[in-house]
Amino acid sequence: MADVPIDAPEHCPGTSSDQAGKSSACQGCPNQNICASGAAKAPDPAIEEIRQKLTSVNHKILVLSGKGGVGKSTFSAHLSHALASDDSKEVALLDVDICGPSIPKIMGLEGEQVHQSGSGWSPVYVEDNLAVMSIGFLLSSPDDAVIWRGPKKNGMIKQFLRDVDWGELDYLIVDTPPGTSDEHLSIVQYLSSAGIDGAVIITTPQEVSLQDVRKEIRFCIKVKIPIIGVIENMSGFVCPKCKNTSQIFPPTTGGAQRMCEELNLPLLGSVPLDPRIGKSCDEGKSFLNEVPDSPAAVAYENIVQKIRDYCSSHTTSNNPF
Amino acid sequence: ISINGLAQVKHVVLVLSGKGGVGKSTITTELALALVHAGKKVGILDVDLCGPSIPRMLSVGKPEVHQCDAGWVPVYADPQQKLAIMSIGFLLEDSDEAVIWRGPKKTALIGQFVSDVAWGELDILLVDTPPGTSDEHLAVLENLRKHRVDGAVLVTTPQAVSTGDVRREITFCKKTAVKILGIVENMSGFVCPHCSECSNVFSKGGGEELAKLTGSVFLGSVPLDPLLTATLEEGRDFLQAFPESSTYTAISQIVNTVLSSLDA
């Protein structure tokens, strides 16, 4: 049933049912009081508010993985830089990794703070046409830990979508933490009326990574997010001295290529391991500017072009999924 | 009848990071194998519900989890039953099935994993965690409150984007009164197997600097070793396969330091 919450007990009658909150199966369910009062039947008003707020956003793209440390934030940041390199485009990057917000550092915005105005929170601008929002900007020290349970994280994500003054945007890129949990469900729920163009899925070549990524793909299918394609990151390392290639993260089960063939998904590209990428991220600079001729930068640009092409041929502004 | 699955567990050590993909599950697996080789009885509790990596790393495919009078029976990685494991990976019908749960449901299962698994006699229980400072971490600590948590090993890679998250995890430990046994710098340099040139793929030294900055013990660096990654992919015992490697030496030193701090 579509209206059975994830945390409901086995015989949940459904939140829209007459029995909601009143059946014997409802005993002990965390939503029982809400259902019994009738409040659960009404959709969260924020979903409609967010839809209205984001009508000025042309394309919304999620960057997902399932596996941690594969390069979601790195890719999100560089995708944003690449899209914004066209001065005529307005781009924004939203970081919904609440516990481990990497985007401020990678975008060279550490220490920046968010300002409030009459029209909402102002994102932080890297360039005139590139805006960023992250919980990192709300923390006063690099040691501050965000020790929040799910509901509080969900509230923050709602505010990011509803209360930030994004303005007119061609692209809104959403960087996510690893997993298939509160943050991911909330993003999907809050954007359910506004619409999502699609998700880019990042993996590294080895099976330990792919096994988590397959789950993320299942998640996308379950919640009906179109998958733009898969990127294989850290795909081989070329020794700077002898120029031989080593597979540091070996594709023991065929890597992203085999997985894409099996699941009938586009492989957008493979990006090699390049120590200069990590270095640029640590320094808050765009790798695409620093080393534009490197094989990794070329791979990135090819992938970005495929994403641009996908967006041009899909319009979701009036098409919630 | 209250089940106290941890009654005969001597030490509990969390493996934390804050950052994803730095090698928490890898380090947990290698620590566990090293401890077993040193004659200890070890358990691994894998509380990464969305991305459980431990079963594959120890090649414990799809066994069934049984119940006994004392609770759930853990899965043993070896016939001598020196290494016990519990992971949501064992409970999924289909290994590609996504566990799409919000916090409360995750918290409930972790509570059961901590309290209702019949671990039996263990020298050490290692707890492998997902990245972050959220429901899973709070659930583990709340349920372990009745038992003792000896401390946490924090894993980072050398670069600033990683240590930046681990600093927050250190704050989490301080706020929840979890002793920091030390910091491991993983993926610390790559030695080219063709020409032996060392490349700092993910930078270098960040873990050691973080230890100094926060007054924590630096447990050591583990290099980026494709042989380690490959053996984990296959669920083989790296320490038995490659005892001559510098990775083996690094891991052994880390284990020895952790053991001394537990016995102290």
Side-chain angles (χ1 to χ4, degrees), chain B residues 11-251:
Chain B
H11 299 288
V12 177
V13 174
L14 307 182
V15 180
L16 301 172
S17 179
K19 185 79 184 73
V22 296
K24 291 177 288 309
S25 298
T26 299
I27 296 291
T28 302
T29 298
E30 298 312 314
L31 288 184
L33 290 170
L35 290 164
V36 167
H37 292 315
K40 306 289 182 194
K41 284 197 83 177
V42 183
I44 299 179
L45 171 55
D46 175 9
V47 299
D48 188 342
L49 304 184
C50 295
S53 303
I54 297 288
R56 189 180 179 92
M57 290 181 173
L58 285 162
S59 136
V60 210
K62 267 299 313 292
E64 285 178 16
V65 173
H66 299 286
Q67 295 243 355
C68 69
D69 287 341
W72 294 9
V73 180
V75 172
Y76 289 96
D78 59 326
Q80 300 81 18
Q81 299 200 339
K82 297 288 188 193
L83 180 46
I85 310 167
M86 183 51 72
S87 168
I88 200 178
F90 302 139
L91 304 176
L92 299 172
E93 278 289 314
D94 170 4
S95 55
D96 292 341
E97 191 184 320
V99 173
I100 311 173
W101 293 356
R102 289 197 185 266
K105 208 163 174 180
K106 292 197 281 188
T107 297
L109 185 63
I110 290 171
Q112 286 192 278
F113 274 177
V114 173
S115 311
D116 300 345
V117 171
W119 293 104
E121 259 189 56
L122 290 181
D123 293 296
I124 300 187
L125 176 65
L126 298 170
V127 184
D128 185 24
T129 62
T133 49
S134 190
D135 296 273
E136 296 88 337
H137 313 84
L138 291 167
V140 160
L141 287 178
E142 274 165 13
N143 283 283
L144 285 172
R145 233 189 311 195
K146 305 171 213 115
H147 196 268
R148 197 182 52 164
V149 175
D150 291 72
V153 169
L154 270 66
V155 183
T156 187
T157 51
Q159 81 268 53
V161 166
S162 183
T163 56
D165 282 349
V166 181
R167 283 176 78 164
R168 304 188 199 279
E169 197 77 14
I170 290 173
T171 303
F172 172 83
C173 290
K174 290 185 176 157
K175 286 197 162 165
T176 51
V178 171
K179 182 180 171 196
I180 296 172
L181 299 175
I183 296 178
V184 172
E185 179 177 297
N186 196 21
M187 307 200 197
S188 191
F190 171 69
V191 177
C192 178
H194 303 278
C195 69
S196 299
E197 166 89 351
C198 181
S199 295
N200 292 325
V201 181
F202 299 116
S203 189
K204 194 160 179 84
E208 199 163 1
E209 275 169 36
L210 179 65
K212 274 200 207 105
L213 178 71
T214 55
S216 315
V217 169
F218 182 59
L219 292 170
S221 309
V222 178
L224 249 181
D225 187 341
L227 292 174
L228 175 60
T229 329
T231 49
L232 286 164
E233 288 277 283
E234 295 154 21
R236 288 190 299 130
D237 184 338
F238 172 82
L239 302 172
Q240 278 194 332
F242 300 101
E244 310 291 309
S245 63
S246 55
T247 306
Y248 177 96
T249 313
I251 291 169

Side-chain angles (χ1 to χ4, degrees), chain A residues 6 68-69 143-150 153-154 180-182 186 189 207-208 212 215 218 241 248 252 282, chain B residues 20-21 51 56 94-96 98-103 106 133-135 142 159-161 167-168 171 229 233:
Chain A
I6 295 284
D143 294 314
D144 282 349
V146 180
I147 310 171
W148 291 358
R149 293 185 192 271
K153 292 195 280 188
N154 301 336
T180 49
S181 188
D182 286 277
S186 293
Q189 183 193 358
E207 178 59 25
V208 159
D212 286 352
K215 294 178 206 269
R218 285 280 178 95
K241 190 174 177 199
I248 295 183
T252 57
D282 276 0
Chain B
R56 189 180 179 92
D94 170 4
S95 55
D96 292 341
V99 173
I100 311 173
W101 293 356
R102 289 197 185 266
K106 292 197 281 188
T133 49
S134 190
D135 296 273
E142 274 165 13
Q159 81 268 53
V161 166
R167 283 176 78 164
R168 304 188 199 279
T171 303
T229 329
E233 288 277 283

Side-chain angles (χ1 to χ4, degrees), chain A residues 227-266:
Chain A
I227 295 174
I228 301 174
V230 176
I231 297 170
E232 183 179 90
N233 201 13
M234 306 196 200
S235 193
F237 174 69
V238 178
C239 176
K241 190 174 177 199
C242 70
K243 312 293 178 199
N244 281 299
T245 303
S246 294
Q247 296 291 348
I248 295 183
F249 300 112
T252 57
T253 56
Q257 177 153 358
R258 168 103 65 87
M259 183 186 73
C260 286
E261 280 161 16
E262 280 165 6
L263 299 177
N264 200 24
L265 291 171

Side-chain angles (χ1 to χ4, degrees), chain A residues 186-248:
Chain A
S186 293
I187 271 285
V188 166
Q189 183 193 358
Y190 291 128
L191 289 177
S192 55
S193 289
I196 295 173
D197 288 61
V200 173
I201 311 242
I202 316 270
T203 186
T204 48
Q206 78 277 40
E207 178 59 25
V208 159
S209 185
L210 295 171
Q211 80 181 352
D212 286 352
V213 169
R214 287 195 198 94
K215 294 178 206 269
E216 196 75 20
I217 291 170
R218 285 280 178 95
F219 168 79
C220 288
I221 294 169
K222 201 162 191 174
V223 299
K224 301 191 176 53
I225 300 176
I227 295 174
I228 301 174
V230 176
I231 297 170
E232 183 179 90
N233 201 13
M234 306 196 200
S235 193
F237 174 69
V238 178
C239 176
K241 190 174 177 199
C242 70
K243 312 293 178 199
N244 281 299
T245 303
S246 294
Q247 296 291 348
I248 295 183

Side-chain angles (χ1 to χ4, degrees), chain A:
Chain A
M1 274 192 278
D3 58 351
V4 172
I6 295 284
D7 55 353
E10 216 179 325
H11 300 291
C12 167
T15 55
S16 325
S17 144
D18 291 329
Q19 286 297 303
K22 299 169 188 159
S23 91
S24 54
C26 300
Q27 292 297 323
C29 172
N31 305 310
Q32 186 178 21
N33 287 338
I34 301 172
C35 284
S37 72
K41 291 190 193 176
D44 188 334
I47 296 174
E48 173 57 23
E49 289 169 331
I50 289 167
R51 185 196 68 76
Q52 288 179 8
K53 191 83 186 218
L54 298 183
T55 47
S56 56
V57 177
N58 268 344
H59 301 290
K60 302 170 214 72
I61 299 169
L62 303 189
V63 180
L64 300 172
S65 182
K67 183 78 182 75
V70 296
K72 289 177 289 308
S73 298
T74 302
F75 182 74
S76 300
H78 288 85
L79 173 62
S80 305
H81 275 301
L83 292 169
S85 65
D86 176 353
D87 285 336
S88 71
K89 301 290 181 199
E90 294 288 328
V91 183
L93 174 56
L94 170 59
D95 175 11
V96 300
D97 188 340
I98 307 288
C99 295
S102 305
I103 293 294
K105 179 182 270 312
I106 296 175
M107 299 298 278
L109 297 173
E110 271 194 315
E112 295 285 337
Q113 299 277 294
V114 163
H115 303 283
Q116 288 234 2
S117 73
S119 39
W121 293 3
S122 303
V124 179
Y125 284 84
V126 178
E127 315 277 349
D128 287 338
N129 65 337
L130 178 49
V132 179
M133 179 55 74
S134 166
I135 201 174
F137 300 137
L138 303 173
L139 301 171
S140 41
S141 151
D143 294 314
D144 282 349
V146 180
I147 310 171
W148 291 358
R149 293 185 192 271
K152 210 163 169 182
K153 292 195 280 188
N154 301 336
M156 184 87 262
I157 291 170
K158 184 196 307 198
Q159 283 194 277
F160 278 162
L161 291 169
R162 186 191 59 194
D163 300 342
V164 171
D165 186 16
W166 296 109
E168 303 252 338
L169 290 177
D170 293 281
Y171 301 100
L172 174 63
I173 312 297
V174 184
D175 184 30
T176 63
T180 49
S181 188
D182 286 277
E183 297 86 337
H184 313 85
L185 285 166
S186 293
I187 271 285
V188 166
Q189 183 193 358
Y190 291 128
L191 289 177
S192 55
S193 289
I196 295 173
D197 288 61
V200 173
I201 311 242
I202 316 270
T203 186
T204 48
Q206 78 277 40
E207 178 59 25
V208 159
S209 185
L210 295 171
Q211 80 181 352
D212 286 352
V213 169
R214 287 195 198 94
K215 294 178 206 269
E216 196 75 20
I217 291 170
R218 285 280 178 95
F219 168 79
C220 288
I221 294 169
K222 201 162 191 174
V223 299
K224 301 191 176 53
I225 300 176
I227 295 174
I228 301 174
V230 176
I231 297 170
E232 183 179 90
N233 201 13
M234 306 196 200
S235 193
F237 174 69
V238 178
C239 176
K241 190 174 177 199
C242 70
K243 312 293 178 199
N244 281 299
T245 303
S246 294
Q247 296 291 348
I248 295 183
F249 300 112
T252 57
T253 56
Q257 177 153 358
R258 168 103 65 87
M259 183 186 73
C260 286
E261 280 161 16
E262 280 165 6
L263 299 177
N264 200 24
L265 291 171
L267 178 63
L268 296 175
S270 300
V271 182
L273 253 178
D274 185 330
R276 295 169 297 183
I277 300 181
K279 186 161 183 286
S280 300
C281 288
D282 276 0
E283 293 168 5
K285 298 182 185 153
S286 167
F287 171 74
L288 304 173
N289 283 344
E290 298 290 295
V291 211
D293 303 326
S294 65
V298 172
Y300 262 80
E301 294 283 5
N302 288 338
I303 291 166
V304 172
Q305 188 52 45
K306 289 184 183 169
I307 294 172
R308 278 195 199 98
D309 293 342
Y310 174 92
C311 288
S312 317
S313 56
H314 289 72
T315 40
T316 57
S317 18
N318 295 313
N319 213 1
F321 55 93

